[in-house]
Amino acid sequence: MLSCKQIVEHGSDYIEKDMGFWRKVEMKLHLMICVHCRRYVRQLKRTINMLSRGRYYAPSEEQVEQLKQQYQEVNGKR
Amino acid sequence: MKDESLPPETELVERLRNNDVALFERVVKTYHSSMYAVAHAIAGPAIADEVLQEAWISAINALDKFEGRSALKSWLIRIVANEAKTRLRKESRSISLDTVDEHWATDSRFTPNGHWVESNPGWDMSSPDELLAADELQDCVKKHMNKLPENQQQILNLRDVGGLEMEAICNILGVTASNARVLLHRARDKMQQVVARFQRTGKC
């Protein structure tokens, strides 16, 4: 039986289905009986989703203006 | 801003070719963050802005050649990754897994036999939209992302924030797929803990 720690160590592999058949079965069995690990996997999924949609490096207004200007210049030459 | 706020791809590209400045601004605001994450991870923070600027110019110039074989975002990410690779940082890029393994070995969340020490409170009822709308949480996530060991930060930025495929990431960073997976998961696990703590205590 896998321990909770092993579940946590392989959380991404489980979510991305990047594991062998038997390991997957072992993880599923553990998750069936362990509410804490089920919660962890759900939270990990939410975290990944959040990271992929967050805007952690939003451009400054100045950068946006500069890019718009460049866009218009190039388009003017098309 | 989410992808959903942009028009369908074919219309989007057509309008961009026809000098729709307002739409271009929305595209910049939507994709800039992911593109920056890729530039930052590959070329380093010192020249990430420069790389991004060049990438946008290349993209604007090449818009007529965009054939729509991939999504616009993937196309933009590829351009920025290529631009960044030509400016690849010079410093050592060796990837060490020692600190990662050490971390798992001494993870205080677990008892010596691998059980949770305390119940992991449920914040998973908060939808991703709610998490994204919480500015303080997003600032906290960004702060802790910057504190990650560099190789973990690189992979998290390339994969989750930038949306690059693992195969491309392994090629760019010169790491094996299994090492990349371990580093990525370690970074995600850390971010999960940051969100969990914030949701539990309201503290960063």
Side-chain angles (χ1 to χ4, degrees), chain B residues 100-113:
Chain B
V100 177
D101 290 341
E102 198 178 301
H103 175 90
W104 291 125
T106 58
D107 196 325
S108 61
R109 286 175 293 173
F110 303 99
T111 62
N113 56 3

Side-chain angles (χ1 to χ4, degrees), chain B residues 84-134:
Chain B
K85 275 190 273 185
T86 65
R87 307 280 302 269
L88 208 58
R89 53 172 97 185
K90 303 277 191 291
E91 67 258 42
S92 159
R93 309 170 56 75
S94 64
I95 301 274
S96 160
L97 291 180
D98 298 352
T99 49
V100 177
D101 290 341
E102 198 178 301
H103 175 90
W104 291 125
T106 58
D107 196 325
S108 61
R109 286 175 293 173
F110 303 99
T111 62
N113 56 3
H115 293 297
W116 290 100
V117 169
E118 56 178 336
S119 176
N120 187 14
W123 53 267
D124 37 304
M125 296 320 284
S126 311
S127 72
D129 286 340
E130 282 166 334
L131 298 178
L132 285 164

Side-chain angles (χ1 to χ4, degrees), chain A residues 64-74, chain B residues 24:
Chain A
V64 175
E65 283 311 311
Q66 254 180 19
L67 287 171
K68 275 162 69 180
Q69 215 174 329
Q70 271 154 353
Y71 171 74
Q72 280 171 302
E73 274 169 28
V74 173
Chain B
F24 176 74

